[in-house]
Structures are given as structure tokens and as C-alpha cells.
Amino acid sequence: MRQIPVDTSAAIVMVAKPAQPKVRDRRTGEIALDADGVKLMTVDVMFAANDEVEILSVTVPETGISGELAMGTPVALTGLIARPWENEFNGQKRHGIAFRAVAVTSLAAAGAKAA
């Protein structure tokens, strides 16, 4: 399985670090684009579920970011998937999990309206 859908319905998700452009090449500063040519952004979120908390870096298209995403803002992650990866660089094997979402939406406005 190349992509694993992540269920966020029982999680509390908040912005840990506001959106920043995803850099494709650190040497040149080139910004990463998706297959449609849309600029990709990275948003670090605090993901709390099952009595555990982790900081995840989530890649999302710039067009999928809505609302003010300041630190501590509760957000919804639409279409979140996890993708295992592995590569070799200078003889060193590395591996991890990359997270990607269709959208990151601020829930702060929804909470303010409900109050």
C-alpha cells in the first residue's frame, strides 16, 4: 500500500508552526510544486489522539490553506494520508513517513460563531 488514509475524527489538531513554502532543493531554494504546478506548503501540526501527542509536518497545496493558521489555532485536515518513504544518500539509508493533506482549514472562526 503506497498511501495510508489517516482518520482524524477522534484527534485534536492544532497548528504548531504556521504554513511555510516547501523547499524542493535546499541548495537552490527552489520551491516544491505539485503535479498541477501549484506551490506546496508545509504546516507543522500538533496531532493528539489516543493519549499521545506528536508533531507532524503536513504538506498541502497553497490553495488548500484557508483561514488564519497562527500557532495554537485548531484546524481540520481534509484528506490526510501517510506515505512511507525510504532513500539512500551518501551510503546512508533513511526512512520515514510523509504526511499530505488536500486542505488545512482553521476551525477558529467556526468556534467563535458557535460561542
Side-chain angles (χ1 to χ4, degrees):
M1 181 181 285
R2 295 179 115 198
Q3 298 180 12
I4 304 164
V6 179
D7 179 13
T8 61
S9 61
I12 297 170
V13 185
M14 298 168 130
V15 174
K17 186 175 178 185
Q20 298 181 346
K22 181 177 177 89
V23 178
R24 181 171 186 228
D25 186 335
R26 289 185 184 158
R27 291 173 295 172
T28 65
E30 179 184 1
I31 301 300
L33 305 175
D34 68 8
D36 297 323
V38 177
K39 182 164 71 168
L40 293 174
M41 304 294 283
T42 301
V43 180
D44 289 355
V45 297
M46 180 201 73
F47 190 93
N50 303 322
D51 295 328
E52 293 191 24
V53 177
E54 292 196 40
I55 301 295
L56 307 178
S57 288
V58 180
T59 299
V60 62
E62 186 175 41
T63 55
I65 295 176
S66 63
E68 179 66 31
L69 298 184
M71 187 182 300
T73 303
V75 293
L77 300 174
T78 304
L80 182 64
I81 59 157
R83 180 180 296 152
W85 61 268
E86 181 178 282
N87 65 22
E88 189 171 330
F89 185 72
N90 289 338
Q92 297 287 328
K93 284 195 173 188
R94 297 180 50 183
H95 62 276
I97 300 173
F99 293 92
R100 174 112 186 215
V102 173
V104 177
T105 307
S106 171
L107 299 176
K113 290 178 186 174

